[in-house]
Amino acid sequence: MNLLLLSNSSSDAGYLVHAMPDIRELIATLPPGAPAVFVPFAGVTRDWDDYTALVVSALADTGLSIEGLHRAQDPVAALQNAAVIIVGGGNTFNLLGQLRRLGLLEVIASRVRQGAAYLGWSAGSNLTCPSICTTNDMPITDPGGFEALGLLSFQINPHYTNAHPPGHRGETRAQRLAEFCTLNPAMPVLGLPEGSGLRVRGEQLALIGPHDAPLFLGREEPRVFRPGPLEIAA
């Protein structure tokens, strides 16, 4: 498989600007005008046409020919013909629910396993996990089950931070992930800080970006990975 899974899309540099070198590497073997599909379904307060236009503008220099999946006359055919599948962030529950209702989850999973490149950020990164149970989002809609694409054998937590503002009495992110790991002791969870990402090339994994990333597993102390090759046993 050929995946680029980002923690975030925006930064002080602009929309997807920080990730452009990795995006170019992801699609380096594709010809100009290669067909790409953008999945905007994680957008809830963001209009899907506007969301698609934002992504098309941000990726204009890549030469990809990007179509919003919500505008495709035949969504299955659009996905099957896509050389790149792009899945944006927003609310993971809404994203998963829309894809499940349209019967597109297995279509995406199959196409990526067949060789289509996959670019996701935030909710789009969560979607590649066995489930969406380590998303940070509120369950604003019933997605009909938490099982996701299962392209990864472990979970990720985008936007990872363990910040704890003074006076805040709620749990930290590490505490929330510890709850998940207590009930799912055999399932690793990789926290992806802002500016970080996961690069998947076949069976090879690499942490990209400037930050270290913690791996949570059961009741063990988190193991911290530096940017570079990863080995995660699930």
Side-chain angles (χ1 to χ4, degrees), residues 156-227:
I156 59 177
N157 177 245
H159 307 290
Y160 178 78
T161 175
N162 204 37
H164 198 205
H168 179 67
R169 302 305 175 190
E171 288 81 1
T172 64
R173 186 74 56 78
Q175 289 172 319
R176 288 301 191 196
L177 293 178
E179 292 175 340
F180 172 86
C181 290
T182 296
L183 297 183
N184 303 271
M187 180 59 71
V189 184
L190 181 68
L192 287 179
E194 300 293 61
S196 298
L198 184 67
R199 186 71 174 91
V200 182
R201 302 177 183 88
E203 300 297 321
Q204 303 299 313
L205 305 175
L207 175 66
I208 60 174
H211 304 296
D212 296 349
L215 182 73
F216 298 83
L217 180 63
R219 296 182 181 273
E220 302 173 8
E221 282 295 312
R223 178 183 176 187
V224 177
F225 285 100
R226 298 185 63 82

Side-chain angles (χ1 to χ4, degrees), residues 29-159:
T29 62
L30 298 179
V37 169
F38 174 62
V39 182
F41 298 154
V44 178
T45 57
R46 173 177 277 165
D47 178 83
W48 290 347
D49 284 335
D50 292 343
Y51 198 177
T52 302
L54 175 65
V55 172
V56 168
S57 176
L59 299 180
D61 290 344
T62 65
L64 294 174
S65 178
I66 303 173
E67 175 185 23
L69 186 61
H70 66 297
R71 289 295 184 183
Q73 292 186 350
D74 186 340
V76 172
L79 289 167
Q80 290 176 336
N81 292 330
V84 186
I85 297 174
I86 307 168
V87 185
N91 186 276
T92 313
F93 293 90
N94 200 60
L95 170 63
L96 180 62
Q98 290 284 349
L99 289 172
R100 179 167 281 123
R101 284 187 285 274
L102 293 170
L104 298 178
L105 279 175
E106 184 51 41
V107 178
I108 293 176
S110 176
R111 185 69 192 97
V112 174
R113 290 191 176 101
Q114 291 169 359
Y118 184 103
L119 168 62
W121 54 88
S122 192
S125 296
N126 278 129
L127 190 71
T128 63
C129 298
S131 78
I132 64 166
C133 290
T134 52
T135 179
N136 305 309
D137 301 331
M138 288 187 176
I140 60 173
T141 186
D142 182 356
F146 298 144
E147 295 80 12
L149 294 175
L151 298 173
L152 301 180
S153 61
F154 55 92
Q155 295 289 127
I156 59 177
N157 177 245
H159 307 290

